[in-house]
């Protein structure tokens, strides 16, 4: 089943005559783990923002076959401000909030959902800590737990491991892979790190303003191999 259709999408920022993303098309099927790779400035973040509606699409169409609530997005984050006052528990719990609800009101069910997310990402012992005081890897797990509270069908992550050390990154990718397999969560993740990603994703899309490659990990490796040989 198709969850998302990106059809001839081009995106230009206001006042910029060049496209940041040009004529990109692909579908995401239920259960896939797709990695969007490309160097800095290749249009990964712009495309993801276009998909979730944070930037307008200049040309083409984005068709979501699922409800907006069934899609969770975790934007590219830099280190969270040290003085940000919320605790880990408050941040994860806020992920259960429905759209359009103005005052936070958490039901027993919301609390149970947040607790389960804390368990899944092994952050229980951090519950009362302020997020600003945590390490980058811990912060990422908190934000992922928050996104997870919605039990999304489609999880869109923009460089979730930027700035993290390789061991923590590896662990994080393994966790995502587990969610993909055991929870049947469809994942679209951007990364500029081509090597590490390859062991977990089921499919790779290479961006360089346009879509340069789209295929399985095996096909992608084969292509890299033949590039090296020439
Ligand atoms: P990536 O995520 O692959 O590093 P981006 O999508 O952030 O790439 O950037 C693609 C292009 O769009 C770059 O040339 C970048 O300078 C430009 N760009 C990104 N964000 C903005 C913005 N808010 N306003 C204008 N140009 C932008
Ligand atoms: Mg980016």
């Amino acid at each position: 089943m198709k969850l998302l259709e990106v059809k001839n999408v081009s995106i230009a920022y206001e006042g910029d005559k060049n496209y940041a993303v040009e004529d990109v098309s692909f579908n995401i099927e239920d259960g896939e783990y797709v990695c969007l790779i490309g160097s800095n400035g290749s249009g990964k973040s712009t495309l993801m923002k276009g998909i979730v509606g944070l930037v307008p699409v200049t040309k083409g169409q984005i068709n979501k076959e699922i409800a907006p609530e069934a899609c969770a997005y975790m934007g590219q984050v830099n280190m969270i401000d040290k003085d940000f006052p919320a605790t880990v528990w408050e941040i994860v719990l806020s992920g259960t909030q429905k759209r359009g609800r103005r005052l936070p009101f958490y039901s027993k069910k919301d609390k149970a959902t947040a607790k389960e997310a804390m368990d899944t990402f092994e952050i229980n012992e951090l519950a009362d800590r302020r997020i600003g005081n945590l390490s980058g890897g811990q912060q990422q797990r908190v934000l992922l737990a928050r996104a997870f509270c919605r039990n999304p069908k489609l999880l869109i992550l923009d460089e979730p491991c930027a700035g993290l050390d390789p061991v923590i990154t590896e662990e994080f990718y393994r966790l995502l892979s587990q969610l993909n397999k055991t929870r049947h969560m469809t994942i679209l993740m951007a990364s500029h790190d081509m090597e590490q990603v390859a062991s977990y994703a089921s499919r790779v899309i290479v961006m360089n303003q346009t879509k340069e490659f789209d295929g399985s990990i095996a096909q992608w490796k084969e292509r890299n191999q033949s590039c090296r040989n020439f």
Side-chain angles (χ1 to χ4, degrees), residues 120-220:
T120 304
F121 296 97
E122 296 172 4
I123 51 173
N124 272 315
E125 72 279 16
L126 303 175
D128 298 325
R129 299 267 300 274
R130 287 184 172 210
I131 190 162
N133 295 329
L134 304 179
S135 72
Q138 289 171 328
Q139 290 184 349
Q140 292 299 65
R141 276 194 284 157
V142 172
L143 294 177
L144 192 62
R146 182 179 191 277
F148 185 76
C149 277
R150 276 218 208 148
N151 195 18
K153 267 187 100 56
L154 175 63
L155 183 59
I156 298 178
L157 306 161
D158 193 355
E159 304 230 21
C161 296
L164 301 186
D165 77 51
V167 176
I168 292 172
T169 301
E170 182 84 20
E171 204 178 284
F172 191 86
Y173 287 162
R174 198 172 311 134
L175 194 63
L176 285 181
S177 168
Q178 217 173 306
L179 291 179
N180 172 248
K181 292 202 179 81
T182 63
R183 304 270 182 148
H184 204 73
M185 205 173 273
T186 306
I187 297 172
L188 175 64
M189 178 175 76
S191 171
H192 64 263
D193 160 36
M194 317 217 177
E195 294 304 324
Q196 216 169 5
V197 142
S199 36
Y200 296 106
S202 56
R203 177 177 156 205
V204 176
I205 295 174
V206 180
M207 284 290 297
N208 186 8
Q209 185 188 358
T210 58
K211 188 178 82 170
E212 276 204 334
F213 173 83
D214 185 349
S216 69
I217 294 283
Q219 288 166 332
W220 182 62

Side-chain angles (χ1 to χ4, degrees), residues 40-58:
N40 282 327
S42 58
K44 305 181 297 294
S45 294
T46 303
L47 180 57
M48 288 189 150
K49 285 179 190 166
I51 290 171
V52 298
L54 284 173
V55 297
V57 165
T58 316

